[in-house]
């Protein structure tokens, strides 16, 4: 039996009592100055509570009260350490417990990353068919406002759209004719609304619910109506496959995973945005191939030249600007072009636009 | 001014009424290890790190020879956070769907959502304090907090709105209101706290600072208002993207040109003054707050010196400069790799993803470094200097308390974490 002194708090009052501590065979006993037993705690219930290094602060495991016994005598601490399984003054026990916890957290992190990598696309894929056409259109409207504000860097407002100038109506009519022909053949549940906008890049983007923005740069680069039609048909492929909606759902899922669940521990949304860039770009490859196939099928079905898409892709392949790669988000342009050509039939029947319409369309953005 | 009725039972163990015993290097070790694990676990480790930090700070704070005890656990925080998610996810979902509704409801849902989340954030702050207090023990007795969190949240949000509308002039009264409400509902066992600081005292001390900071800015605004000319402004706005817009402005209306220049300079001066005077403000506010705290008969007086607070921030700036220099050196080769990855004409998805990951990595290291240095210098030192600046009176109160209050749940902490309004 080892004796020593300590301080006892009964958890009922804040009174500080000096006690004598006796280490019995199975229990630790604290006796106050009047020789009353104030605590008799079994060793297996002892728990070391948070305290400065120089103090051993004992409590009882799973006890509803907050009684504490404090020991400051190094020899007595060592003696208690030997007797009680759950007390380890060297910190080895705490380190082992923490290592186990850390391993679990790392495992949880890996599993969340796997969810982000594999799970989110699968969930989005399953949810997309469940989104009703009306909701998809509204989603598209909300995204359209955002997209317009983002693209319209010059603050042109209404004038951001081509076809409102004096030469506009003719160009606009030709453009609408081209789109209407594709739209009629495609038969999408939301009719396509396509606009030409004043952006210098050779690009086009499709939003959820059927809105398509064709950039002025693409009109300049296109040499035939079929080339332009091929790109618009590609974007209609995105609309038909609900790629925009899926990407919004994926984005929401990833934002949730990385923004809330994991906590924005470094502040700002930068981590979320970067993580989305990494993960979403990994989703895109198959989506683009599918849209290419859709474009070629649609062009084939109206008797147009499906391989024109390959021609314009190859021409603008290296010319897109970084950060603006929605149409050209895609590596291996040559592979894409080969696949399109292999699949395309040669043009037959009437051309999509006559020479006059095409000339008007080329000038749609002139003011 | 040590207490006359300090614990008579053990005078030898109470040489200081209150002091801080923490070892700075141990704290650095704790934080750097935590930062590494935060990085590896994408932040999930934060519950464990927060618990470790609190255990360190609480157990290093010694009143009348005995240290505080933080009895919360990381698992409690994690569970609280998961509960908070269950509350927040439906709310976010409703706002997401409402935002899709074009028209007045859709437009309003944004503003309404921000207002609601702000109030919810204040609610969370109050609940989180309730959790932390109920996990704080001294002499084997819990602290606890009562009061109505919804009342506090609405009141604090209104005070915040008033503070914003008065450009900060209402801040002292807001602080006084918040501290009064919180402290009135704070208990050590059955001993009730209160807050004796008055808003106008803080106002009088802070007013010279406020005037110094706002005077240049206001001067610039007044001059700008005097030179206001709608016609010229129209022309400028129409050509805002042209390179020579300022030159043309100088030709059309030199007065307005000078006024704009003056406004820019005075705004910069105001911003610089705000940064330079911030430690003074912090010292004033900390002294005012600490001196106003009461617990039963216990009173305290803070003698925190402003120079000390400047020292704290200088140390922070020095460490940050060192860190940024090191990071920049390390980042040069990484940025070269980044450029190489994105350099080609036909950049593959894999390269793009690698480049984004690299950028993300640099960003995460930078932000984690910043937060670690901030915690290890500013947070720790403010705590330490704040504690060391105190003289206590009426410590006998602490010896005559009886147990009261129960441990409260960590959902408030979880909400605060999810809404990113958490404190310690």
């Amino acid at each position: 039996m080892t004796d020593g002194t300590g301080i006892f708090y009964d958890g009922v009052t804040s009174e500080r009592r000096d006690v004598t501590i006796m280490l019995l065979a199975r229990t630790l006993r604290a006796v106050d100055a009047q020789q009353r037993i104030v605590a008799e705690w079994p060793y297996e219930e002892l728990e070391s509570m948070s305290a400065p290094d120089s103090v051993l602060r004992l409590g009882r495991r799973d006890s509803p009260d907050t009684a504490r016994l404090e020991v400051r005598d190094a020899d007595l601490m060592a003696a208690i350490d030997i007797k009680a399984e759950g007390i380890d003054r060297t910190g080895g026990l705490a380190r082992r417990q923490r290592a186990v916890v850390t391993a679990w957290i790392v495992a949880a992190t890996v599993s969340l990353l796997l969810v982000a990598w594999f799970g989110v696309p699968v969930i989005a894929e399953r949810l997309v068919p469940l989104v009703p056409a009306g909701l998809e259109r509204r989603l598209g409207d909300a995204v359209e406002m955002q997209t317009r504000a983002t693209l319209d860097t010059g603050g042109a407002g209404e004038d951001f759209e081509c076809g409102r100038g004096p030469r506009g109506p003719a160009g606009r009519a030709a453009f609408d004719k081209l789109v209407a022909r594709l739209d009629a053949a495609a038969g999408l549940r939301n009719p396509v609304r396509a606009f030409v906008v004043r952006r210098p890049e050779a690009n086009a983007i499709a939003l959820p619910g059927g809105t398509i923005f064709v950039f002025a740069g693409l009109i300049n680069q296109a040499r035939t109506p079929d080339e332009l039609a091929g790109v618009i048909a590609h974007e209609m492929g995105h609309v038909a496959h609900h790629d925009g909606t899926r990407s919004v759902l994926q984005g929401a899922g990833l934002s949730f995973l990385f923004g809330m669940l994991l906590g924005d521990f470094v502040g700002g949304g930068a981590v979320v945005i970067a993580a989305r860039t990494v993960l979403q770009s990994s989703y895109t490859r198959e989506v683009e191939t599918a849209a290419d196939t859709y474009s070629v099928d649609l062009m084939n079905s109206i008797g147009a030249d499906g391989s024109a898409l390959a021609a314009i892709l190859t021409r603008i392949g290296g010319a897109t600007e970084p950060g603006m790669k929605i149409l050209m988000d895609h590596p291996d342009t040559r592979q894409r072009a080969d696949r399109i050509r292999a699949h395309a039939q040669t043009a037959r029947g009437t051309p999509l636009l006559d020479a006059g319409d095409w000339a008007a369309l080329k000038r749609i953005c002139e003011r | 001014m040590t207490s006359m009725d300090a614990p008579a039972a053990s005078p030898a163990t109470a040489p200081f009424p209150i002091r801080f015993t923490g070892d700075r290097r141990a704290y650095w070790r704790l934080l750097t290890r935590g930062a590494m694990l935060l990085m590896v676990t994408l932040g999930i480790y934060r519950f464990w790190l927060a618990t470790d930090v609190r255990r360190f700070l609480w157990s290093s704070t010694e009143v009348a020879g005995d240290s505080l005890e933080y009895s919360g656990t990381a698992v409690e925080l994690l569970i609280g956070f998961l509960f908070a998610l269950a509350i927040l996810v439906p709310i976010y979902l409703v706002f997401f769907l409402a935002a899709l509704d074009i028209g007045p409801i859709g437009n309003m849902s944004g503003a309404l959502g921000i207002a609601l989340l702000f109030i919810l954030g204040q609610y969370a702050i109050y609940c989180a304090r309730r959790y932390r207090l109920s996990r704080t023990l001294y002499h084997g007795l819990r602290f606890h907090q009562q009061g109505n969190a919804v009342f506090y949240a609405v009141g604090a949000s209104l005070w915040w709105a008033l503070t914003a509308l008065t450009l900060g002039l209402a801040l002292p009264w807001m602080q006084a209101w918040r501290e009064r409400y919180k402290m009135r509902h704070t208990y050590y066992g059955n001993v009730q706290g209160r807050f004796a600081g008055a808003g106008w005292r803080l106002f009088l001390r802070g007013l010279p600072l406020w005037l110094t900071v706002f005077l240049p800015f206001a001067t610039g605004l007044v001059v700008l208002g005097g030179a206001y000319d709608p016609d010229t402004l129209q022309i400028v706005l129409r050509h805002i993207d042209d390179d020579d817009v300022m030159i043309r402005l100088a030709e059309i209306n030199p007065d307005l040109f000078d006024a704009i220049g003056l406004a820019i300079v005075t705004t910069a001066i105001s911003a610089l003054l705000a940064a330079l005077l911030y430690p003074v403000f912090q010292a004033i506010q900390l002294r005012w707050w600490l001196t106003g705290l009461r617990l039963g008969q216990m009173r305290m007086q803070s003698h925190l010196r402003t120079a000390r607070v400047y020292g704290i921030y200088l140390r922070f700036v020095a460490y940050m400069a060192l860190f940024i220099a090191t990071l920049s050196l390390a980042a040069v080769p990484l940025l070269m790799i980044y450029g190489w990855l994105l350099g080609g004409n036909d950049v593959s998805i894999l390269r793009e993803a690698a480049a984004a990951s690299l950028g993300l990595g640099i960003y995460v290291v930078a932000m984690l470094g910043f937060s670690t240095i901030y915690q290890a210098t500013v947070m720790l030192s403010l705590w330490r200097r704040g504690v060391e600046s105190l003289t206590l009176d009426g410590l006998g109160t602490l010896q005559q308390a009886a147990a009261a209050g129960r441990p409260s749940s960590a959902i408030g902490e979880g909400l605060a974490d999810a809404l990113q309004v958490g404190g310690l």
Side-chain angles (χ1 to χ4, degrees):
Chain A
M1 196 176 84
T2 322
D3 280 3
T5 57
I7 302 161
F8 180 70
Y9 302 104
D10 60 10
V12 179
T13 68
S14 61
E15 193 190 344
R16 172 191 170 119
R17 275 186 268 186
D18 288 316
V19 290
T20 306
I21 293 173
M22 293 178 231
L23 301 186
L24 307 180
R26 309 177 65 111
T27 59
L28 178 153
R29 176 181 290 171
V31 178
D32 70 3
Q34 286 81 41
Q35 300 304 313
R36 287 176 303 200
I37 298 174
V38 292
E40 177 114 27
W41 294 351
Y43 290 120
E44 66 267 20
E45 288 183 14
L46 291 187
E47 191 178 3
S48 170
M49 314 309 272
S50 164
D53 287 341
S54 57
V55 177
L56 174 62
R57 183 177 278 157
L58 295 170
R60 279 175 90 173
R61 201 184 304 279
D62 303 325
S63 155
D65 72 42
T66 49
R68 295 285 184 267
L69 192 58
E70 288 187 8
V71 180
R72 298 173 191 221
D73 165 0
D75 291 339
L76 185 58
M77 283 187 210
I80 296 173
D81 189 342
I82 293 166
K83 290 259 189 189
E85 280 280 306
I87 308 289
D88 183 5
R89 292 293 292 168
T90 62
L93 193 68
R95 271 196 296 277
R96 275 197 300 283
Q97 283 170 348
R98 183 52 66 92
V100 170
V101 167
T102 308
W104 274 108
I105 304 171
V106 171
T109 311
V110 171
S111 117
L112 283 172
L113 283 174
L114 291 176
V115 167
W117 193 265
F118 299 108
V120 169
V122 171
I123 294 168
E125 190 70 52
R126 292 279 153 83
L127 283 178
V128 161
L130 304 179
V131 178
L135 186 64
E136 194 175 28
R137 181 115 243 181
R138 280 193 198 166
L139 184 68
D141 290 343
V143 175
E144 186 181 332
M145 279 200 294
Q146 279 291 320
T147 313
R148 268 178 193 263
T150 315
L151 293 177
D152 184 9
T153 46
E158 291 269 285
D159 193 42
F160 181 57
E161 235 172 70
C162 292
R164 289 167 183 273
R167 293 176 194 271
R172 179 79 217 187
F175 181 72
D176 287 346
K177 193 166 157 189
L178 187 70
V179 173
R181 183 135 178 222
L182 290 166
D183 199 22
L188 302 173
R189 64 175 188 177
N190 280 321
V192 162
R193 291 181 303 180
F195 306 99
V196 181
V197 294
R198 294 186 201 283
R199 292 286 304 195
E201 302 87 357
N203 207 343
I205 57 177
L207 306 181
T211 300
I212 292 173
F213 286 138
V214 176
F215 292 7
L218 188 75
I219 307 270
N220 290 337
Q221 290 272 348
R223 289 182 185 161
T224 67
D226 289 38
E227 287 185 356
L228 181 60
V231 175
I232 295 173
H234 171 99
E235 296 306 323
M236 286 169 72
H238 286 313
V239 174
H241 302 145
H242 311 288
D243 292 334
T245 312
R246 191 184 300 108
S247 134
V248 168
L249 288 175
Q250 285 169 352
L254 291 175
S255 297
F256 174 71
L257 269 186
F258 291 97
M260 278 187 72
L261 213 54
L262 299 182
D264 223 346
F265 62 97
V266 286
V271 174
V272 178
I273 293 162
R276 278 172 62 164
T277 313
V278 174
L279 288 166
Q280 281 195 311
S281 63
S282 78
Y283 304 153
T284 50
R285 186 190 297 256
E286 292 133 48
V287 166
E288 293 305 326
T289 310
D292 283 348
T293 310
Y294 183 94
S295 168
V296 176
D297 286 344
L298 186 60
M299 294 290 279
N300 284 344
S301 76
I302 59 171
D305 177 14
S307 69
L309 176 62
I312 189 164
L313 279 182
T314 316
R315 189 171 326 122
I316 63 182
T320 46
E321 305 201 353
M324 286 299 303
K325 314 201 244 161
I326 296 139
L327 168 69
M328 286 302 308
D329 209 352
H330 330 307
D332 321 321
T333 308
R334 214 172 303 122
Q335 275 181 29
R336 271 181 83 189
D338 291 347
R339 210 176 292 126
I340 291 166
R341 286 201 187 94
H343 194 55
Q345 296 162 6
T346 44
R348 61 200 144 72
T350 52
L352 292 175
L353 290 178
D354 60 35
D357 278 345
W358 178 237
L361 176 49
K362 287 286 274 184
R363 291 210 299 262
I364 188 170
C365 287
E366 286 179 17
R367 296 186 206 234
Chain B
M1 233 200 312
T2 46
S3 147
M4 294 304 290
D5 42 11
S10 53
T13 53
F16 299 94
I18 182 164
R19 64 172 182 163
F20 187 82
T21 59
D23 172 22
R24 186 184 287 276
R25 267 174 308 178
Y27 195 59
W28 269 106
R29 271 200 300 278
L30 192 158
L31 287 176
T32 38
R33 199 190 53 207
M36 304 279 174
L37 283 167
L38 275 180
M39 192 151 56
V40 178
T41 64
L42 302 173
I44 303 179
Y45 190 75
R46 68 185 181 281
F47 307 108
W48 281 264
L49 180 60
T51 303
D52 284 350
V53 162
R54 291 176 196 173
R55 283 191 179 149
F56 178 88
L57 292 176
W58 268 236
S59 69
S60 303
T61 305
E62 208 180 84
V63 180
D66 294 304
S67 68
L68 298 176
E69 175 186 335
Y70 179 76
S71 66
T73 67
V75 173
E76 282 171 356
L77 289 182
L78 176 64
I79 293 170
F81 174 71
L82 294 176
F83 266 103
L85 278 192
I87 296 168
L88 282 177
V89 167
I91 296 179
Y92 279 140
L93 208 62
V94 166
F95 278 116
F96 177 68
L97 290 176
L100 291 185
D101 198 43
I102 308 294
I105 303 175
N107 288 337
M108 258 169 53
S109 76
L112 201 71
I114 289 169
L116 190 81
L117 288 182
F118 188 85
I119 297 174
L120 197 61
Q122 297 298 313
Y123 174 86
I125 287 172
Y126 196 79
C127 293
R129 187 174 184 270
R130 194 196 321 261
Y131 169 81
R132 283 197 294 270
L133 274 179
S134 80
R135 295 300 186 286
T136 303
L137 273 67
Y138 178 68
H139 280 194
L141 289 194
R142 274 181 208 293
F143 285 77
H144 72 281
Q145 176 181 288
Q146 299 182 344
N148 186 335
V150 174
F151 178 81
Y152 175 86
V154 173
S157 302
L158 291 176
W159 271 111
W160 267 114
L162 189 65
T163 303
L165 285 177
T166 57
L167 299 175
L169 280 176
L171 181 93
W173 287 280
M174 172 179 83
Q175 299 289 49
W177 181 86
R178 294 200 306 175
E179 291 310 316
R180 268 203 304 275
Y181 192 81
K182 285 190 287 193
M183 283 309 293
R184 195 166 65 229
H185 294 102
T186 298
Y187 292 82
Y188 167 59
N190 59 353
V191 177
Q192 190 179 14
R194 69 195 165 87
F195 185 73
W200 62 269
R201 280 183 190 276
L202 182 61
F203 176 76
L204 286 184
R205 279 174 215 159
L207 190 61
L209 294 180
W210 191 89
L211 289 174
T212 314
V213 168
F214 273 88
L215 216 58
F217 180 67
T219 313
L221 272 192
V222 168
V223 174
L224 195 60
Y228 179 70
D229 169 11
D231 299 338
T232 317
L233 220 56
Q234 284 277 320
I235 299 169
V236 170
L237 283 181
R238 212 170 307 136
H239 300 97
I240 198 81
D241 276 348
D242 300 353
D243 294 334
D244 59 347
V245 63
M246 289 315 281
I247 299 168
R248 282 177 62 177
L249 174 63
E251 283 165 8
I252 306 168
N253 188 339
D255 285 349
L256 185 60
F257 178 77
D258 291 344
I260 291 177
L262 185 73
I264 292 172
V265 171
T266 51
T267 307
I269 291 174
S270 281
L272 187 69
L273 282 172
L276 285 177
L277 290 176
Y278 182 68
V280 183
F281 171 70
Q282 192 152 33
I284 289 173
Q285 189 171 249
L286 207 55
R287 270 197 301 266
W288 172 81
W289 175 64
L290 286 168
T291 303
L293 296 177
R294 301 281 184 275
L295 197 56
Q297 301 302 312
M298 190 179 82
R299 313 152 56 86
M300 41 179 111
Q301 181 82 40
S302 170
H303 306 280
L304 182 66
R305 283 176 31 223
T306 305
R308 284 261 194 239
V309 181
Y310 266 109
I312 289 169
Y313 278 97
L314 273 181
R315 218 180 139 89
F316 170 69
V317 168
Y319 272 110
M320 274 311 286
L322 204 66
F323 175 68
I324 290 170
T326 317
L327 194 68
S328 312
L329 279 180
V332 167
L334 291 178
L335 282 176
M336 279 162 67
I337 298 174
Y338 185 84
W340 172 75
L341 282 171
L342 292 179
N345 275 339
D346 209 8
V347 177
S348 76
I349 286 171
L350 204 66
R351 277 189 167 200
E352 206 172 283
S357 312
L358 194 65
L360 180 66
I362 296 177
Y363 174 80
V364 166
V365 169
M367 293 309 287
L368 275 177
F370 168 78
S371 94
T372 303
I373 291 174
Y374 182 81
Q375 289 223 24
T377 57
V378 177
M379 283 278 304
L380 178 70
S381 301
L382 281 179
W383 182 293
R384 167 185 224 125
R385 296 301 182 199
V387 164
E388 286 173 350
S389 75
L390 290 175
T391 51
L392 300 185
D393 223 350
L395 271 173
T397 285
L398 298 184
Q399 314 297 327
Q400 291 149 14
R406 300 162 55 78
S408 72
S409 89
I411 296 176
E413 284 262 1
L415 271 178
D417 183 32
L419 295 168
Q420 285 150 30
V421 293
L424 266 174

